[in-house]
């Protein structure tokens, strides 16, 4: 993702973070020093243009955020105790590589052919106005919504445009809703972001309730990195309130490279009880970003870099090991690897088969299927039987 730093690399950092020497370095503090030097990397920002100036498709995104709106009319890193509601229409540039998000090098002279741009932004003064517009969108999208939660070290624009890219490239059905929590967007702000993610759990719960009240019958939660921790916390709160009606509307959860301690995840899942189905985790033991996270936190075993699915054996989850697909550090592979994006075109087949006999799973996707009691781990491989062509990792 463009403009990232310590845990979500971007232009100018990806080559450094991807170096084998760095990933295996015995002195992680050297890596931290390098990240400090990268803190001045230009970050992604929103550029607004007239809708008739863009040649590609436009993705409307409804937004709930616990960021403060600054004087320039942009949601920044400051925390808001009030959930702010908005809608952004994002133009997808036609001349780009699958899985990539490109920001204008010069915001005053953007290139609609290659740059992600915004064609409209609406700020809702009340929940009622937000729900009315969202309800109309849900009515023509089979009353299904997908809520995306970004990860560590994201500006508002970076998380927003990444979800627009995912929604378009993966052809996600339903209404797209983005939850933006107040990440400091600082390469060395890991601890601050962990606190901000916990601060933002009430806001995510409220957004889920607003989406439900607007008429959503099915809600899918998709979260990346530290956003996975935030999502689990919100689900835990809903479960502790005993709100089964709302929990039953959560029609699936997808955690991408989740930055969560495995033991914390297990205890949270047990508190929630019956997890939403399907519950899918994308991870890789080759994720160099989560390796650094383990160093920072002093805790081994992040959920997104799990090697032994037996640790989740008593949980109804599916772990998709995407280690064979590379996007530099192995972090966020599910959204940025062109090969994996094509693999995901058959994810509905996976969900259907998991409802049947275990034996029906084998051969469904190219890879090895390992089942330990209730948890399932699929090790995906980039082979040509997906699309009839060779997929390059």
């Amino acid at each position: 993702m463009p403009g990232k730093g310590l845990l979500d690399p971007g232009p100018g950092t990806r080559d450094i973070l991807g170096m084998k020497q760095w990933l295996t370095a015995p002195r992680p503090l050297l890596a931290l020093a390098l990240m400090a030097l990268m803190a001045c990397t230009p970050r992604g920002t929103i550029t607004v243009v007239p809708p008739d100036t863009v040649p590609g498709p436009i993705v409307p995104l409804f937004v709930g955020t616990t960021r403060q709106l600054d004087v320039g009319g942009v949601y920044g890193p400051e925390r808001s105790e009030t959930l702010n509601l908005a809608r952004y229409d994002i133009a997808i540039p036609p001349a780009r590589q699958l899985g990539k998000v490109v920001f204008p090098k010069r915001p005053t002279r953007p290139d609609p052919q290659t740059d992600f741009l915004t064609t409209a932004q609406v700020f809702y003064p009340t929940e009622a106005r937000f729900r009315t517009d969202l309800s109309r969108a849900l009515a023509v999208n089979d009353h299904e919504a997908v809520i995306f939660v970004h990860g560590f070290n994201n500006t508002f624009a970076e998380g927003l445009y990444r979800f627009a890219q995912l929604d378009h490239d993966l052809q996600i059905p339903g209404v797209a809703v983005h939850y933006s929590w107040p990440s400091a967007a600082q390469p060395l702000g890991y601890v601050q972001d962990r606190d901000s993610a916990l601060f933002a759990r009430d806001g995510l719960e409220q957004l889920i309730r607003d989406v439900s009240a607007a008429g959503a019958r099915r809600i899918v939660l998709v979260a990346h990195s530290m956003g996975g921790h935030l999502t689990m916390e919100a689900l835990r709160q809903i479960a502790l309130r005993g709100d089964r009606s709302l929990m039953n509307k959560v029609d699936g959860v997808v955690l991408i490279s989740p930055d969560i301690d495995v033991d914390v995840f297990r205890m949270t899942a047990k508190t929630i009880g019956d997890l939403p189905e399907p519950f899918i985790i994308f991870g890789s033991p080759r994720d160099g970003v989560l390796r650094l996270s383990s160093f920072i936190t002093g805790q081994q075993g992040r959920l997104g870099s799990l090697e032994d699915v037996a640790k989740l054996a008593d949980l109804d989850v599916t772990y998709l090991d995407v280690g064979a697909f590379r996007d530099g550090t192995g972090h966020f592979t599910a959204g940025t690897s062109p090969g994996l994006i094509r693999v995901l075109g058959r994810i509905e087949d996976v969900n259907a088969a998991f409802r049947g006999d275990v034996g029906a799973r084998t051969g469904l996707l190219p890879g090895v299927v390992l089942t330990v009691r209730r948890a399932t781990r699929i090790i995906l491989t980039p082979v040509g039987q997906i699309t009839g062509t060779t997929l390059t990792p």
Side-chain angles (χ1 to χ4, degrees), residues 9 35 51 355:
M35 296 307 103
R355 300 187 186 101

Side-chain angles (χ1 to χ4, degrees), residues 292-306:
L292 180 57
S293 172
S294 295
F295 166 75
I296 294 173
T297 61
Q299 301 167 328
Q300 296 300 315
R302 313 308 286 174
L303 182 63
S305 57
L306 193 63

Side-chain angles (χ1 to χ4, degrees), residues 89-149:
D89 294 346
I90 311 301
I92 309 295
R96 68 183 183 91
Q97 183 181 347
L98 193 68
K100 297 295 182 182
V101 174
V102 178
F103 289 89
K105 293 180 181 180
R106 292 184 294 176
T108 57
R109 297 185 63 184
D111 185 349
Q113 290 289 335
T114 60
D115 301 337
F116 275 69
L117 302 169
T118 297
T119 61
Q121 49 186 356
V122 178
F123 303 107
Y124 293 101
T126 64
E127 286 185 1
R129 293 271 299 275
F130 174 79
R131 290 180 181 179
T132 297
D133 282 2
L134 179 57
S135 179
R136 293 194 187 104
L138 287 167
V140 296
N141 283 275
D142 200 26
H143 299 277
E144 182 170 359
V146 179
I147 300 177
F148 177 75
V149 186

Side-chain angles (χ1 to χ4, degrees), residues 208-241:
I208 295 172
R209 293 186 182 280
D210 284 340
V211 172
S212 173
R217 297 171 186 166
R218 296 177 303 280
I219 301 172
V220 176
L221 301 177
V222 180
H224 175 234
S225 188
M226 195 178 286
H229 190 184
L230 166 56
T231 298
M232 291 299 294
E233 286 292 310
L235 290 174
R236 180 178 183 272
Q237 289 189 174
I238 295 172
L240 288 175
R241 298 185 201 282

Side-chain angles (χ1 to χ4, degrees), residues 95 121 184 285 318 338 369 382 391:
Q121 49 186 356
T318 300
V369 180
L391 301 181

